[in-house]
Amino acid sequence: MSTPTQPDTATGDDAPRSIAATVPVADLLACETTLSFAGLTPADQGDYPDAVSSEARCLDPDPRSLKEVIATLPQASSGELWATNEFVGVDGTVDTEAIRDIHGLDVDVLEDDAGCSLDELATRASSDPLVRICDHQDIVDEPRKALCALGYDVTFRWQIASDRYSIINPQEAYLPIIGALQQRGETEAFGWASYRDWGGLLTMFVVCPGLEHTVSGGEDTEFDDDTDGVTSVGDSDETDLIVYGGFETGYDFRGTQTLWAFHIRELLVAASGSGTGSLDRTNPSKFQIYHVIRRIC
């Protein structure tokens, strides 16, 4: 099946709707996966920098674009949470006999305090078998919810234990990254996104080839917390190492955490291609995503 051609524009009111059409169903069904990308949109060439070793863990023989990876994330919207009260029938009738059998509930004291019988209390009450939950935020992904309705084993909703949390749609939040990188000429940005719980938990690395720095190697060379953000490098084996700038970002729909982002330096490969470096990071403060875009990109 061919993939519909999508416009190159990464922003705009119709962007979340337009990119959703390109998402393979397998991605929506995946509970846990890592998706690599190279290039911002499908129109970009999608190649990794020559200095990056083929052994680097972020590489994929057929990488997607960043825009296509973002499209796999939940189209988060607000849902409604309801709890079932099994003591109330569908017609609103209260099952007083079942209430009397509850261990730990002293019905006699309850009747004395109310000044009437349990049956009278039940008659007066306007009860509903479904109770609206208002102290949690319900986050719903419509495409995955539709697949669940068709019988697929997929989670489509998450809850935040707060009534103050403003639901963030990851697609709407991350699409502006593409425009910011395009303005900086970083159309060859690459990286990977790892998510679990059907997109409820995400960590994404975006590496910018334009923020390249060469570290000259030497025997037993070590770098400790220098101003370029390299925390530590072991034996460099007398090769020059290429360090790229970028950022790490993510979110967690299963707690109370909103979007977060780190400024990173990613040590990827020896320029000679003889080896692959390891991940090196500073320990920077967290920034909101727009601060990271402004500072890094």
Side-chain angles (χ1 to χ4, degrees):
M1 180 180 295
S2 62
T3 301
T5 302
Q6 300 297 323
D8 294 337
T9 302
T11 58
D13 294 339
D14 62 341
R17 184 180 299 274
S18 65
I19 65 173
T22 68
V23 182
V25 172
D27 290 338
L28 298 176
L29 295 176
C31 174
E32 180 176 347
T33 190
T34 296
L35 301 175
S36 300
F37 61 87
L40 301 180
T41 71
D44 296 321
Q45 190 169 358
D47 294 330
Y48 297 102
D50 293 337
V52 178
S53 167
S54 60
E55 299 175 357
R57 69 180 182 125
C58 65
L59 292 187
D60 188 295
D62 186 23
R64 310 183 189 197
S65 67
L66 175 58
K67 183 177 180 180
E68 291 170 313
V69 169
I70 292 175
T72 67
L73 304 180
Q75 297 182 40
S77 59
S78 179
E80 294 184 353
L81 289 177
W82 297 85
T84 302
N85 191 336
E86 62 272 21
F87 298 110
V88 183
V90 293
D91 60 353
T93 302
V94 178
D95 188 349
T96 55
E97 292 304 317
I99 293 177
R100 290 184 186 278
D101 292 337
I102 298 175
H103 179 72
L105 178 61
D106 193 329
V107 175
D108 292 336
V109 173
L110 180 63
E111 291 177 327
D112 289 341
D113 289 343
C116 63
S117 67
L118 188 63
D119 291 332
E120 289 175 312
L121 277 174
T123 301
R124 296 175 188 175
S126 178
S127 303
D128 199 315
L130 292 178
V131 180
R132 178 76 181 272
I133 304 300
C134 298
D135 58 355
H136 283 57
Q137 291 289 322
D138 186 39
I139 304 173
V140 180
D141 177 42
E142 293 292 329
R144 289 175 172 87
K145 182 166 67 171
L147 290 173
C148 182
L150 295 173
Y152 289 93
D153 181 17
V154 57
T155 292
F156 61 88
R157 70 193 316 155
W158 306 267
Q159 283 79 48
I160 296 290
S162 171
D163 57 359
R164 299 181 179 179
Y165 180 82
S166 296
I167 292 177
I168 295 174
N169 185 331
Q171 295 193 20
E172 294 179 351
Y174 286 136
L175 278 175
I177 291 176
I178 296 176
L181 291 172
Q182 286 174 330
Q183 291 178 7
R184 292 284 298 177
E186 291 286 358
T187 58
E188 297 181 354
F190 65 97
W192 60 95
S194 298
Y195 69 74
R196 290 184 287 164
D197 193 23
W198 288 275
L201 174 66
L202 171 80
T203 300
M204 180 167 64
F205 291 86
V206 179
V207 184
C208 302
L211 300 178
E212 177 184 309
H213 179 67
T214 301
V215 180
S216 298
E219 186 175 355
D220 297 327
T221 302
E222 291 188 359
F223 304 87
D224 295 316
D225 296 325
D226 67 18
T227 57
D228 288 321
V230 180
T231 302
S232 62
V233 179
D235 184 357
S236 63
D237 201 21
E238 298 186 356
T239 59
D240 290 342
L241 300 176
I242 305 299
V243 180
Y244 293 104
F247 57 91
E248 174 188 2
T249 182
Y251 61 83
D252 188 351
F253 281 163
R254 307 172 306 171
T256 58
Q257 191 179 63
T258 185
L259 286 172
W260 54 267
F262 291 149
H263 169 207
I264 63 170
R265 280 285 188 177
E266 192 75 18
L267 180 59
L268 292 172
V269 66
S272 64
S274 62
T276 301
S278 59
L279 177 65
D280 284 319
R281 308 183 207 178
T282 60
N283 184 22
S285 301
K286 291 185 178 181
F287 295 87
Q288 292 296 331
I289 192 68
Y290 60 83
H291 284 154
V292 174
I293 296 297
R294 200 172 291 170
R295 176 176 175 179
I296 306 303
C297 304

mmCIF file of all heavy atoms in Angstrom, residues 6 14 37 46 51 53 66 107 117 129 154 170 226 228 243 249 254 256 278 284 296:
data_model
loop_
_atom_site.group_PDB
_atom_site.id
_atom_site.type_symbol
_atom_site.label_atom_id
_atom_site.label_comp_id
_atom_site.label_asym_id
_atom_site.label_seq_id
_atom_site.Cartn_x
_atom_site.Cartn_y
_atom_site.Cartn_z
ATOM 1 N N GLN A 6 2.503 13.775 1.610
ATOM 2 C CA GLN A 6 2.154 14.782 2.594
ATOM 3 C C GLN A 6 2.850 16.094 2.275
ATOM 4 O O GLN A 6 3.966 16.101 1.722
ATOM 5 C CB GLN A 6 2.570 14.327 4.002
ATOM 6 C CG GLN A 6 1.895 13.035 4.435
ATOM 7 C CD GLN A 6 0.401 13.198 4.535
ATOM 8 O OE1 GLN A 6 -0.081 14.253 4.948
ATOM 9 N NE2 GLN A 6 -0.344 12.184 4.149
ATOM 10 N N ASP A 14 -3.591 22.233 10.449
ATOM 11 C CA ASP A 14 -3.963 20.906 9.990
ATOM 12 C C ASP A 14 -2.814 19.921 10.077
ATOM 13 O O ASP A 14 -2.938 18.786 9.649
ATOM 14 C CB ASP A 14 -4.458 20.957 8.552
ATOM 15 C CG ASP A 14 -3.367 21.446 7.593
ATOM 16 O OD1 ASP A 14 -2.407 22.057 8.073
ATOM 17 O OD2 ASP A 14 -3.508 21.197 6.380
ATOM 18 N N PHE A 37 15.388 8.192 13.113
ATOM 19 C CA PHE A 37 15.053 9.146 12.061
ATOM 20 C C PHE A 37 16.310 9.854 11.581
ATOM 21 O O PHE A 37 17.301 9.982 12.308
ATOM 22 C CB PHE A 37 14.016 10.169 12.534
ATOM 23 C CG PHE A 37 14.459 11.028 13.692
ATOM 24 C CD1 PHE A 37 15.164 12.206 13.480
ATOM 25 C CD2 PHE A 37 14.169 10.654 14.998
ATOM 26 C CE1 PHE A 37 15.575 12.997 14.541
ATOM 27 C CE2 PHE A 37 14.579 11.438 16.065
ATOM 28 C CZ PHE A 37 15.271 12.610 15.842
ATOM 29 N N GLY A 46 17.595 12.363 4.279
ATOM 30 C CA GLY A 46 17.511 11.284 5.254
ATOM 31 C C GLY A 46 18.767 10.462 5.400
ATOM 32 O O GLY A 46 18.700 9.254 5.650
ATOM 33 N N ALA A 51 30.637 10.949 9.263
ATOM 34 C CA ALA A 51 31.477 10.639 10.415
ATOM 35 C C ALA A 51 30.831 9.646 11.378
ATOM 36 O O ALA A 51 31.503 9.092 12.241
ATOM 37 C CB ALA A 51 31.810 11.931 11.173
ATOM 38 N N SER A 53 29.563 6.305 12.718
ATOM 39 C CA SER A 53 29.844 4.904 12.472
ATOM 40 C C SER A 53 28.553 4.133 12.248
ATOM 41 O O SER A 53 27.519 4.407 12.852
ATOM 42 C CB SER A 53 30.605 4.305 13.659
ATOM 43 O OG SER A 53 30.629 2.892 13.579
ATOM 44 N N LEU A 66 11.906 12.844 11.037
ATOM 45 C CA LEU A 66 11.445 13.243 12.364
ATOM 46 C C LEU A 66 9.930 13.457 12.359
ATOM 47 O O LEU A 66 9.234 13.093 13.312
ATOM 48 C CB LEU A 66 12.163 14.522 12.806
ATOM 49 C CG LEU A 66 11.702 15.140 14.126
ATOM 50 C CD1 LEU A 66 11.843 14.149 15.279
ATOM 51 C CD2 LEU A 66 12.479 16.422 14.424
ATOM 52 N N VAL A 107 -24.096 -0.484 60.026
ATOM 53 C CA VAL A 107 -25.348 0.066 59.530
ATOM 54 C C VAL A 107 -26.213 0.601 60.657
ATOM 55 O O VAL A 107 -26.910 1.625 60.502
ATOM 56 C CB VAL A 107 -26.108 -1.004 58.721
ATOM 57 C CG1 VAL A 107 -27.485 -0.491 58.304
ATOM 58 C CG2 VAL A 107 -25.306 -1.411 57.495
ATOM 59 N N SER A 117 -34.177 4.722 58.649
ATOM 60 C CA SER A 117 -33.686 3.405 58.258
ATOM 61 C C SER A 117 -32.827 3.494 56.997
ATOM 62 O O SER A 117 -32.849 4.499 56.271
ATOM 63 C CB SER A 117 -34.854 2.458 58.012
ATOM 64 O OG SER A 117 -35.582 2.873 56.868
ATOM 65 N N PRO A 129 -25.426 4.746 38.916
ATOM 66 C CA PRO A 129 -24.472 3.632 38.868
ATOM 67 C C PRO A 129 -23.088 4.037 38.365
ATOM 68 O O PRO A 129 -22.119 3.316 38.567
ATOM 69 C CB PRO A 129 -25.138 2.642 37.910
ATOM 70 C CG PRO A 129 -26.058 3.468 37.079
ATOM 71 C CD PRO A 129 -26.543 4.565 37.983
ATOM 72 N N VAL A 154 -4.536 -3.041 22.561
ATOM 73 C CA VAL A 154 -3.780 -1.798 22.579
ATOM 74 C C VAL A 154 -4.332 -0.886 23.677
ATOM 75 O O VAL A 154 -5.538 -0.809 23.888
ATOM 76 C CB VAL A 154 -3.845 -1.091 21.201
ATOM 77 C CG1 VAL A 154 -5.271 -0.825 20.796
ATOM 78 C CG2 VAL A 154 -3.048 0.199 21.197
ATOM 79 N N PRO A 170 1.453 15.550 22.316
ATOM 80 C CA PRO A 170 2.859 15.490 21.884
ATOM 81 C C PRO A 170 3.063 15.900 20.435
ATOM 82 O O PRO A 170 4.086 16.512 20.096
ATOM 83 C CB PRO A 170 3.219 14.016 22.099
ATOM 84 C CG PRO A 170 2.277 13.536 23.144
ATOM 85 C CD PRO A 170 0.996 14.278 22.893
ATOM 86 N N ASP A 226 34.553 19.825 30.596
ATOM 87 C CA ASP A 226 35.022 21.060 29.979
ATOM 88 C C ASP A 226 33.842 21.902 29.521
ATOM 89 O O ASP A 226 32.696 21.519 29.625
ATOM 90 C CB ASP A 226 35.993 20.756 28.817
ATOM 91 C CG ASP A 226 35.304 20.059 27.647
ATOM 92 O OD1 ASP A 226 34.058 20.116 27.558
ATOM 93 O OD2 ASP A 226 36.020 19.472 26.822
ATOM 94 N N ASP A 228 32.763 22.649 26.691
ATOM 95 C CA ASP A 228 32.018 22.202 25.520
ATOM 96 C C ASP A 228 30.990 21.145 25.868
ATOM 97 O O ASP A 228 30.290 20.651 24.996
ATOM 98 C CB ASP A 228 32.968 21.639 24.453
ATOM 99 C CG ASP A 228 33.767 22.743 23.794
ATOM 100 O OD1 ASP A 228 33.192 23.810 23.554
ATOM 101 O OD2 ASP A 228 34.958 22.536 23.523
ATOM 102 N N VAL A 243 31.986 15.356 18.126
ATOM 103 C CA VAL A 243 30.955 15.555 19.137
ATOM 104 C C VAL A 243 29.863 16.435 18.540
ATOM 105 O O VAL A 243 30.142 17.471 17.957
ATOM 106 C CB VAL A 243 31.540 16.240 20.397
ATOM 107 C CG1 VAL A 243 30.452 16.450 21.439
ATOM 108 C CG2 VAL A 243 32.667 15.400 20.980
ATOM 109 N N THR A 249 14.566 14.958 24.931
ATOM 110 C CA THR A 249 13.276 15.414 25.413
ATOM 111 C C THR A 249 12.344 14.226 25.611
ATOM 112 O O THR A 249 12.604 13.120 25.128
ATOM 113 C CB THR A 249 12.652 16.429 24.431
ATOM 114 O OG1 THR A 249 11.402 16.879 24.956
ATOM 115 C CG2 THR A 249 12.409 15.807 23.068
ATOM 116 N N ARG A 254 2.069 8.765 32.691
ATOM 117 C CA ARG A 254 1.654 7.864 33.760
ATOM 118 C C ARG A 254 1.921 8.439 35.146
ATOM 119 O O ARG A 254 1.744 7.757 36.141
ATOM 120 C CB ARG A 254 2.384 6.527 33.603
ATOM 121 C CG ARG A 254 2.212 5.920 32.204
ATOM 122 C CD ARG A 254 3.078 4.712 32.012
ATOM 123 N NE ARG A 254 4.475 5.016 32.313
ATOM 124 C CZ ARG A 254 5.411 4.082 32.398
ATOM 125 N NH1 ARG A 254 5.106 2.819 32.205
ATOM 126 N NH2 ARG A 254 6.652 4.416 32.657
ATOM 127 N N THR A 256 2.885 12.658 36.934
ATOM 128 C CA THR A 256 2.452 14.059 36.963
ATOM 129 C C THR A 256 3.410 14.933 36.168
ATOM 130 O O THR A 256 3.425 16.142 36.332
ATOM 131 C CB THR A 256 2.393 14.567 38.414
ATOM 132 O OG1 THR A 256 3.683 14.417 39.026
ATOM 133 C CG2 THR A 256 1.371 13.783 39.211
ATOM 134 N N SER A 278 31.063 6.724 23.241
ATOM 135 C CA SER A 278 29.927 6.437 24.110
ATOM 136 C C SER A 278 29.153 7.720 24.378
ATOM 137 O O SER A 278 29.594 8.806 24.049
ATOM 138 C CB SER A 278 30.418 5.849 25.439
ATOM 139 O OG SER A 278 31.280 6.778 26.067
ATOM 140 N N PRO A 284 22.729 19.240 32.941
ATOM 141 C CA PRO A 284 22.159 20.583 32.890
ATOM 142 C C PRO A 284 20.824 20.659 33.584
ATOM 143 O O PRO A 284 20.198 19.653 33.895
ATOM 144 C CB PRO A 284 21.994 20.822 31.392
ATOM 145 C CG PRO A 284 21.705 19.458 30.852
ATOM 146 C CD PRO A 284 22.514 18.508 31.697
ATOM 147 N N ILE A 296 19.328 26.004 21.710
ATOM 148 C CA ILE A 296 20.148 25.060 20.981
ATOM 149 C C ILE A 296 19.996 25.194 19.472
ATOM 150 O O ILE A 296 20.939 25.049 18.714
ATOM 151 C CB ILE A 296 19.787 23.614 21.384
ATOM 152 C CG1 ILE A 296 19.888 23.475 22.920
ATOM 153 C CG2 ILE A 296 20.699 22.608 20.716
ATOM 154 C CD1 ILE A 296 21.235 23.823 23.462
#
